[in-house]
Amino acid sequence: MQRRRKIGLVAAGLATSLLATLTGCGGENPLGGEVSLKLMAVEHGDRSGNSSQRFWDKLIGEFRFEHPDIDVDVDLYERDAIDAEVRERVAEGRTPDLAQTSASFAGYARRDLLYNAREVLSTHTQASITASLVQAGSVGHVQYGFPFSASTRALFYNKDLFEQAGVEEPPRTWEELLRTARSLKAVGVKTPYGLPLGEEEAQAEALNWMLGNSGGYLSDAGSYDIDSPQNIATFEFLRDELVGPGLTNENPATTDRQEVYAAFLEGEVAMLNGHPGLMQLALENGIRFGTSPLPGRTAPARTTTGVADWTMAFKENGHAEEIRAFLDFVYQERYVVEYAGTHTMLPVTTEAAYTMREDAAHKPLWPFIESLDVARFYPLGKSSWGPASRRLNATIGSAVLGDGVPRTVLGRVQSDAVAAEAEAETEAAP
C-alpha cells in the first residue's frame, strides 16, 4: 500500500486574526452564508523559505479579508502522493472542493464529477490562461483542468566539463550531441549524457526525445501513436548510438530522474534534459551551467515537453460560486507571479508571463516561459492516460538496452494504451 505523505495543514489562523483586527473593514460577500472550501494542494517547496504553506497562508488571509464568509482549509501533500489521496477521498465520499493533480483529470470529468471552466472561472480568468495549457487541460474541447504551476524542459550542460573537452557550444542536433558526448568521454567525464528512463518519470524523458524526431504520444487525429516509425527510430538511435557505446549512465532503464539530477549537481553528468527548478539547485551546488533548446534529429526541436499540476473543481459539495470567487482571486497576476517566482516555475497566465518577461530578476526563466507557448503536454484529456503512462514508465527503458527491441517494446505499450482507452470509453458509455 502506498505510503501517504501529508506535508501539513494550512490553518485559517492567519485569516481569522486578520479578520478580527479588521472587523467591518472587509468587502461583503454577496454569496451569503458561511462556507468552508476544502483544497488539496501540492507542496512545491524544498525548504522552509519557499514552502507552499507560506504562500497559501498569505493568500488565504487576503482572500478572507475580501470574502469573510468563505473559509478555505488547505492540506498539502508531496507531488507523488496527492493523486492517490484524492482518489481515496473521492471513493470514501470525502470529496474536496478543489484538488491539484499531476495525473489525468479526464476520468473524473467523464464521470461528471467536475465543474468545467465556464462554471467556475470568470470570462477574464478563462481568457488569461496560456492557450497551450487550456488545450492540455481539456477533455473533448471542454476545459476541466485548471493549471496552477507549469514547467518545460531544456538541455542543461556543465560549462566546466565542456571546456575540459574543448566543446564551445551546446549541441543543436543528435549528431552534434554524439560528437560532444564522445569528446566528453575522451577526457574522462563519467556520464556525458544522463538518460533517466526509470519508473519515476520516464514519460518525460521519452517525450523529450520523441519530439526531437517529430514524434510524440498521439497522432494528429488524437489517437495513441506510441509505436510510430518516428518513435521507433528514436529509441533505436538511443540504443545504438548513445547507450551502447557507453555515453550515458550505466543502466538507463532503472535510473530515475532524481538520480541523474543528483549526479549533475555532483559534476558527474555533463548533459541532461531538465526543468527550471534545476537552475537554482545547480547554483547552490556551484555548478557552472548553461541551457539550450532540446537537440533534434536534424535541427533543434521545435517544441518541448510541458508538465503541469492541474486544479480540479469537484461538484460534490455544490460550492460553485464560492469556488469561482476563490479561483478568480488565485489567478490574479500578482499571485501567479509570486508562486512561479518563489518556486522557479512558469506562470500559467499571459498577464503574469508578460510581467515576468519584463522583469530582469526572472531572466533565467525567460527561455522556459517562451517555450511554454509551444510545449507538448501529456495526453491528460484521455482518462486512459493514467494506466497507459504507468505501463510506459515501467517498460519503455528496456527499449534502449543492448537486447532491447524498440519496435516490440513500444508496440506493447501502444497495445496497452489502446486497450486502456477502449475500457475507459466502455465505462463512460451510458
Side-chain angles (χ1 to χ4, degrees):
M1 182 175 181
Q2 180 175 352
R3 183 168 64 93
R4 197 178 300 173
R5 282 174 286 177
K6 179 177 174 182
I7 302 298
L9 174 66
V10 179
L14 176 61
T16 303
S17 298
L18 182 61
L19 289 170
T21 304
L22 301 172
T23 300
C25 298
E28 292 185 0
N29 177 16
L31 306 175
E34 180 74 27
V35 171
S36 179
L37 297 178
K38 304 297 182 182
L39 166 64
M40 298 173 66
V42 176
E43 172 59 86
H44 286 116
D46 56 8
R47 59 184 69 86
S48 61
N50 70 351
S51 170
S52 300
Q53 180 167 333
R54 297 180 64 178
F55 170 84
W56 287 115
D57 276 337
K58 176 176 176 290
L59 182 144
I60 291 170
E62 294 173 1
F63 175 75
R64 287 296 307 272
F65 176 60
E66 292 190 15
H67 301 276
D69 293 329
I70 307 176
D71 191 13
V72 183
D73 291 329
V74 184
D75 290 339
L76 296 183
Y77 297 85
E78 291 185 9
R79 191 170 187 267
D80 61 355
I82 192 169
D83 294 327
E85 179 67 18
V86 172
R87 288 195 299 270
E88 183 174 325
R89 287 201 188 187
V90 172
E92 294 176 350
R94 298 183 296 119
T95 306
D97 296 285
L98 295 160
Q100 290 175 14
T101 180
S102 58
S104 178
F105 40 78
Y108 296 115
R110 292 189 184 279
R111 290 157 58 193
D112 197 29
L113 300 180
L114 302 180
Y115 291 114
N116 64 48
R118 294 189 302 275
E119 294 171 309
V120 290
L121 295 179
S122 68
T123 301
H124 173 79
T125 298
Q126 289 182 65
S128 72
I129 297 174
T130 300
S132 62
L133 289 163
V134 172
Q135 181 179 2
S138 297
V139 180
H141 305 294
V142 178
Q143 186 182 4
Y144 290 95
F146 315 137
F148 183 74
S149 62
S151 67
T152 56
R153 299 297 185 263
L155 181 74
F156 281 69
Y157 59 96
N158 185 310
K159 291 184 175 181
D160 288 331
L161 296 181
F162 268 43
E163 289 177 5
Q164 291 177 28
V167 179
E168 296 181 355
E169 299 290 339
R172 295 164 50 84
T173 67
W174 290 359
E175 183 57 39
E176 290 178 7
L177 187 144
L178 286 179
R179 290 201 299 268
T180 299
R182 292 167 186 149
S183 297
L184 291 160
K185 189 75 171 181
V187 297
V189 173
K190 182 176 180 180
T191 305
Y193 181 84
L195 182 64
L197 289 173
E199 292 193 39
E200 178 192 353
E201 202 181 38
Q203 77 271 23
E205 184 67 14
L207 185 56
N208 291 333
W209 284 94
M210 290 175 179
L211 294 175
N213 196 27
S214 301
Y217 291 131
L218 301 180
S219 67
D220 291 340
S223 58
Y224 283 116
D225 199 23
I226 298 170
D227 62 345
S228 68
Q230 298 96 316
N231 291 344
I232 291 171
T234 295
F235 277 82
E236 289 175 344
F237 170 85
L238 291 173
R239 180 195 62 189
D240 299 338
E241 304 294 339
L242 208 56
V243 178
L247 300 177
T248 69
N249 35 294
E250 186 173 348
N251 190 345
T254 59
T255 302
D256 288 335
R257 180 190 66 175
Q258 292 302 326
E259 296 176 64
V260 171
Y261 278 21
F264 181 77
L265 299 176
E266 291 291 329
E268 297 176 353
V269 171
M271 296 180 287
L272 80 168
N273 294 325
H275 60 57
L278 185 58
M279 293 190 294
Q280 183 60 38
L281 296 173
L283 290 172
E284 293 173 358
N285 284 270
I287 301 296
R288 291 180 59 241
F289 70 93
T291 64
S292 66
L294 301 179
R297 191 176 190 95
T298 59
R302 291 175 295 178
T303 183
T304 183
T305 297
V307 177
D309 286 326
W310 306 91
T311 298
M312 303 176 290
F314 285 92
K315 294 181 176 181
E316 177 72 20
N317 303 317
H319 294 153
E321 292 303 316
E322 292 81 8
I323 290 172
R324 176 191 292 267
F326 183 66
L327 289 179
D328 283 345
F329 192 87
V330 169
Y331 277 106
Q332 291 180 79
E333 176 189 326
R334 66 180 184 272
Y335 295 121
V336 176
V337 170
E338 179 183 348
Y339 199 89
T342 299
H343 297 89
T344 321
M345 292 182 170
L346 306 184
V348 296
T349 66
T350 54
E351 297 167 345
Y354 177 82
T355 296
M356 294 182 73
R357 279 197 293 254
E358 292 295 305
D359 186 348
H362 299 297
K363 188 173 182 179
L365 282 173
W366 290 355
F368 292 93
I369 294 173
E370 292 171 2
S371 70
L372 188 59
D373 290 333
V374 297
R376 189 83 62 84
F377 293 83
Y378 307 137
L380 297 174
K382 290 181 173 293
S383 51
S384 59
W385 176 245
S389 64
R390 286 192 289 272
R391 173 65 176 173
L392 184 150
N393 285 352
T395 62
I396 201 166
S398 64
V400 303
L401 302 182
D403 58 352
V405 181
R407 183 180 302 276
T408 300
V409 174
L410 271 63
R412 289 171 181 166
V413 175
Q414 169 75 9
S415 297
D416 289 342
V418 171
E421 180 68 5
E423 182 178 351
E425 290 179 353
T426 299
E427 292 177 351

